[in-house]
């Protein structure tokens, strides 16, 4: 059993800095976000703040920031009446958010993607360091042992808000589990290293805290002609030595003794044990070996212990030349890189003398421009294991499979020497990738090839990089005009009783750019949102932005255009763009602002929505019930109409108007559609920010419903989720038979898409466009017959031109 209660190993750091100096006005890192950083000298005294505003990073529990509420309602699948607004509520992180680094926040997002409903059973905590309470210098050393000043490809925009903390990242995983009288097992994450605690190990009512950690470089004394380590150095910590039963260490090692009689007699896999990291080590006799797995009984227990597994030979007898000749030895390699790729980045090829490949790796010898850089934390991108008969020189080459990226010529081939492999230590080589030209950033695949120089043995495998940084990917290579574009808010941030919404003006749309059709396009099978035109037609273009979407057969780039009072997409290659002055006859491409609003809102006639969420979102974001009532056709209503419903606040009145319209639409289902009419009304009072939010929410929900079980394919394409990660999304929605029924499959799909969309922040255009592109690339794209996502892309691309024409300049929001 794993106990989530407070561990004795936790330290109360509140008194550590009792005598800290006052805040320095000259400190560039001080913005109330780095108060717990011991390397910023002039920090505020945390104990003087009664709200405990500044929490130490070492005092926090990891499960406090990774826990997501799992108290969800049982959801129906009726679309229009789904009451799942709880899925959209953001969990509060005010308690501990001020003392986290940017990398911590990114890890929280990743953890929620992996398993958004369950708390992890293991916790990462520092070791028992109560002796540091009154020693500031020693505390600094202990702080660094858990966190290092490092660089990484993080979100630079978020990084700028907290420069003091943004460059620190946890570098070691120290799993700690609390077990009771019943015992249990503890596994180091991403490894085959386990501790088994039998029943009765401690007395009933007592607890044992087991800590596990892997040190990548084993003791050098165990690597020579007669001995070779096949596991990392394992650190084991126990809190309670009042024990009745021994514990067992189980490790899957990187070697297996050969079956021939000579190897069986001359060599053995053994475990060495010590109470100190530096030794001396003694060989343990209580070992059981089955193929490549060793189980060791530990009886001589201490608070801190160290163990390492090695292959040992009695002597070397010809034709053998060293201990490697007696075993089948596997070599593990890992490819590491930054969390997000950039136009120029370093990938690290790493060879381990064991089969433990950590998910994160700190590299201390990165050089840039001939200068040494601070330590960098890299993420595991891919791994591979192969059999190596004996230590031999290896040639490593990395080749990009994407023409947009290349490995520097002088960096393409690297060698790892035989002697380096014999040491058993981690060996790495760096490869510098760069993007060619000014293309759009995207993930890509590269080939890793390993050649054994003295033989014909060649191993190769492919690695897929991560995506570009979420915030940066949306603005790279965009025109400056788009980079500086403001997200239009639906109302001022402060609640002012006299918010004045602009008056909608029904007039001819003002257009500055046109296109002349170079060919005739008429479709036998009509496709929603795609224009038809004759050669020579003059088409009004609503902006210079392009939309990527699937046509009849393949994905193309389109302009949003108007022809014969119809708004739709026109293929960029089928028109010649001209200015307003060059256009000869524009009569067929004129449209009024009222007609524009009604057409661009048409996708909402077919989108699935959650009424409770729409109601709460609109009532919170619209600040004048009269303005909304007027455009919805309820201008006759007065304040007296709210007396019966006790609507005293403005938000209650807005909610009452929305409910009233919902009831009227429900009574006349054939002619009136609630969400469509609401969106038209919001556009007419210039609530474009609110429309954008509702658009993203309804598209994500409808996409989830449309995809069903096909969401798994989308998750692989969109976020490269593994089968285990996909399963983690589905587990909370399993039925009695242990699987997700088809009619309930939209739930994990929605959880995934909502989490994925949250990475984009306010960049709703990028969310819609990236989702469209991913859906178009599926084997059987739902966008072939479901075009409403294309329709919403037209909507968001028409907002600027609508705003410029339908509302007077003096009333525009700044």
């Amino acid at each position: 059993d794993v106990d989530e209660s407070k561990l004795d190993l936790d330290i109360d750091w509140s008194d550590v800095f009792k005598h800290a100096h006052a805040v320095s006005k000259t400190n560039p890192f001080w913005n109330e976000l780095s108060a717990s950083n011991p390397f910023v000298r002039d920090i505020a005294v945390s104990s003087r703040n009664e709200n405990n505003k500044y929490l130490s990073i070492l005092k926090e529990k990891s499960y406090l920031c990774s826990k997501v509420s799992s108290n969800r309602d049982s959801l129906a699948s009726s679309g229009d009446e789904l009451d799942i607004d709880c899925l959209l509520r953001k969990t509060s992180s005010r308690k501990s958010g001020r003392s986290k680094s940017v990398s911590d926040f990114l890890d929280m997002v990743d953890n929620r993607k992996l398993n958004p409903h369950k708390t992890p059973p293991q916790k990462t905590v520092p070791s028992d360091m109560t002796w540091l309470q009154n020693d500031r210098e020693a505390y600094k050393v202990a702080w660094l042992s858990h966190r290092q000043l490092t660089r990484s490809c993080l979100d630079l925009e978020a990084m700028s808000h907290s420069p003091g903390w943004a460059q620190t990242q946890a570098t070691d995983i120290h799993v700690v589990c609390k077990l009771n009288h019943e015992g249990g097992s503890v596994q180091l994450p991403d490894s085959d290293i386990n501790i088994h605690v039998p029943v009765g190990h401690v007395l009933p009512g007592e607890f044992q805290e087991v800590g596990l950690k892997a040190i990548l470089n084993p003791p050098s004394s165990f690597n020579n002609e007669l001995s070779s380590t096949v596991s990392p150095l394992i650190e084991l910590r126990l809190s309670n030595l009042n024990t009745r039963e021994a514990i067992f260490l189980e490790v899957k090692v990187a070697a297996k003794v050969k079956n021939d009689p000579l190897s069986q007699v001359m060599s053995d896999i053994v475990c060495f044990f010590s109470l100190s990291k530096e030794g001396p080590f003694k060989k343990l006799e209580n070992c059981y070996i089955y193929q490549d797995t060793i189980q060791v009984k530990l009886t001589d227990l201490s608070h801190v212990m160290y163990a390492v597994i090695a292959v040992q030979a009695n002597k070397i007898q010809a034709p053998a030349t060293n201990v490697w000749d007696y075993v089948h030895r596997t070599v593990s390699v890992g490819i590491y890189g930054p969390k997000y790729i950039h136009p120029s980045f370093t990938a690290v090829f790493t060879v381990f003398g064991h089969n433990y490949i950590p998910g994160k790796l700190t590299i201390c010898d990165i050089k840039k421009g001939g200068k040494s850089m601070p330590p960098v934390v890299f993420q595991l991108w891919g791994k591979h294991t192969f059999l190596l008969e004996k230590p031999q020189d290896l040639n490593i080459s990395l080749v990009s499979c994407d023409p947009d990226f290349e490995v520097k010529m002088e960096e393409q081939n690297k060698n790892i020497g035989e002697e380096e492999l014999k040491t058993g230590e981690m060996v790495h080589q760096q490869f510098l990738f760069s993007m060619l030209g000014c293309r759009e950033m995207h993930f890509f695949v590269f080939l890793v090839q390993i050649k054994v120089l003295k033989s014909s043995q060649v191993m190769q495998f492919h690695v897929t990089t991560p995506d570009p940084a979420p915030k940066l990917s949306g603005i790279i290579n965009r025109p400056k005009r788009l980079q500086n574009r403001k997200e239009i808010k639906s109302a001022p941030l402060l609640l002012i009783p006299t918010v004045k919404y602009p008056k909608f003006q029904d007039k001819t749309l003002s257009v500055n750019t046109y296109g002349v059709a170079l060919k005739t396009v008429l479709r036998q099978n009509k496709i929603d949102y795609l224009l038809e035109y004759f050669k020579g037609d003059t088409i009004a273009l609503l902006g210079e932005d392009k939309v990527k979407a699937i046509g009849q057969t393949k994905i193309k780039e389109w302009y949003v255009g108007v022809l014969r009072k119809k708004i739709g997409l026109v293929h960029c290659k089928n028109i010649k763009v001209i200015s307003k002055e060059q256009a000869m006859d524009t009569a067929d491409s004129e449209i009024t602002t009222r007609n524009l609003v009604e057409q661009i809102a048409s996708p909402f006639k077919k989108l699935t929505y959650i009424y409770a969420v729409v109601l709460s979102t609109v009532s919170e974001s619209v600040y004048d019930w009269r303005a909304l009532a007027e455009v919805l056709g309820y201008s006759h209503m007065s304040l007296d109409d709210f007396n019966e419903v006790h609507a005293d606040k403005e938000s209650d009145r807005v909610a009452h108007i929305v409910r009233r319209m919902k009831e009227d639409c429900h009574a006349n289902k054939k002619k009136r559609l609630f969400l469509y009419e609401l969106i038209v009304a919001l556009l007419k009072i210039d609530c474009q920010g609110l429309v954008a939010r509702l658009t993203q929410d309804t598209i994500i929900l409808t996409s989830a419903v449309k995809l069903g079980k096909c969401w798994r394919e989308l998750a692989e394409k969109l976020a490269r989720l593994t089968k285990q990660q996909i399963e983690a999304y589905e587990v909370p929605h399993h039925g009695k038979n242990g699987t997700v029924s088809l009619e309930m499959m939209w739930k994990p799909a929605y959880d995934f898409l909502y989490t994925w969309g949250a990475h984009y922040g306010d960049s709703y255009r990028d969310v819609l466009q990236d989702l469209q592109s991913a859906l178009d690339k599926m084997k059987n794209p739902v966008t072939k017959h479901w075009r409403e996502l294309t329709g919403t892309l037209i909507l968001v691309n028409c907002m600027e031109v609508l705003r410029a024409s339908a509302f007077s300049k003096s009333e525009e929001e700044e």
Side-chain angles (χ1 to χ4, degrees), residues 444-646:
F444 65 98
V445 177
F446 60 89
L447 176 69
V448 181
Q449 195 170 68
I450 308 164
K451 296 179 183 176
V452 181
L453 294 181
K454 294 180 182 178
S455 73
S456 58
Q457 188 179 5
V458 178
M459 287 71 59
Q460 63 182 31
F461 60 101
H462 289 87
V463 175
T464 304
T465 71
D467 289 314
K471 292 282 186 181
L472 300 178
S473 64
I475 62 173
I476 287 177
N477 295 332
R478 286 192 173 190
K480 193 170 184 180
R481 177 183 64 82
L482 296 183
Q483 290 186 25
N484 297 331
R485 173 191 288 151
K486 292 180 182 178
E487 291 298 334
I488 302 163
K489 305 297 181 185
S490 58
L493 293 175
L494 297 176
L495 180 55
I496 303 172
T498 56
V499 172
K500 185 180 180 183
Y501 286 95
K503 186 75 174 176
F504 180 79
Q505 300 167 16
D506 185 13
K507 61 182 184 181
T508 302
L509 196 71
S510 177
V511 179
N512 296 321
T513 311
Y514 291 84
V516 177
L518 301 176
K519 59 186 287 189
T520 298
V521 175
L522 298 173
R523 295 180 177 85
Q524 187 174 356
N525 297 318
K526 307 301 180 186
I527 301 177
D528 291 340
Y529 307 110
L530 300 189
L531 285 180
E532 294 183 317
Y533 40 89
F534 296 99
K535 184 176 181 179
D537 277 343
T538 300
I539 304 170
L541 303 182
L542 306 186
E544 299 174 12
D545 292 353
K546 297 176 181 177
V547 173
K548 288 182 181 177
I550 195 168
Q552 192 79 45
T553 56
K554 62 181 180 180
I555 299 170
K556 302 173 181 177
E557 287 192 333
W558 313 79
Y559 287 118
V560 179
V562 180
L563 183 63
R564 288 181 274 278
K565 293 185 168 43
K566 183 178 180 183
I567 299 171
L569 299 180
V570 54
H571 188 199
C572 295
K573 291 184 178 180
N574 288 348
I575 61 169
K576 179 184 179 182
V577 178
I578 60 175
S579 65
K580 185 177 183 179
E581 292 74 23
Q582 294 173 298
M584 301 291 289
D585 182 11
T586 60
D588 281 349
S589 56
E590 290 180 354
I591 192 170
T592 64
T593 52
R594 182 182 62 82
N595 196 339
L596 174 69
V597 166
E598 292 171 352
Q599 281 202 54
I600 63 178
S602 60
F604 289 90
K605 295 178 179 179
K606 298 180 181 179
L607 292 180
T608 303
Y609 62 95
I610 307 162
Y611 172 62
V613 175
V614 172
L615 178 65
S616 61
T617 304
V618 173
S619 60
E620 290 170 5
S621 305
V622 175
Y623 298 106
D624 184 1
W625 71 268
R626 293 181 188 275
L628 184 63
E630 185 175 346
V631 292
L632 284 175
Y634 300 109
S635 54
H636 60 278
M637 292 184 68
S638 66
L639 285 174
D640 296 335
D641 295 307
F642 298 106
N643 291 337
E644 294 182 6
V645 293
H646 305 289

Side-chain angles (χ1 to χ4, degrees), residues 709-768:
K709 67 179 181 181
C710 295
W711 84 270
R712 298 165 182 164
E713 181 191 345
L714 179 71
E716 291 176 3
K717 288 184 179 296
L718 208 55
R720 295 190 304 282
L721 292 195
T722 63
K723 288 184 179 179
Q724 290 80 6
Q725 290 171 319
I726 291 172
E727 179 65 21
Y729 274 104
E730 294 186 353
V731 165
H733 307 291
H734 278 178
K736 293 181 180 179
N737 60 351
T739 59
V740 183
S741 61
L742 280 178
E743 59 270 19
M744 291 293 107
M745 193 60 81
W746 68 268
K747 294 183 179 181
Y750 179 85
D751 288 349
F752 162 70
L753 284 173
Y754 184 77
T755 306
W756 166 78
H759 278 281
Y760 288 77
D762 294 330
S763 302
Y764 60 89
R765 296 186 183 210
D766 295 328
V767 172
L768 298 176

Side-chain angles (χ1 to χ4, degrees), residues 10-11 43 407 564 612 666 793:
D10 287 349
I11 307 164
I43 61 175
V407 185
R564 288 181 274 278
H666 191 72
L793 279 171

Side-chain angles (χ1 to χ4, degrees), residues 618 625-636 654 656-662 664-665 672-682 684-685:
V618 173
W625 71 268
R626 293 181 188 275
L628 184 63
E630 185 175 346
V631 292
L632 284 175
Y634 300 109
S635 54
H636 60 278
V654 172
H656 179 69
I657 296 291
V658 176
R659 288 194 197 95
R660 172 79 178 271
M661 193 199 47
K662 179 72 167 72
D664 291 346
C665 290
R672 301 190 63 182
L673 296 165
F674 165 71
L675 189 59
Y676 167 74
E677 292 193 15
L678 180 62
I679 294 296
V680 168
L682 293 174
K684 285 185 176 180
I685 59 173

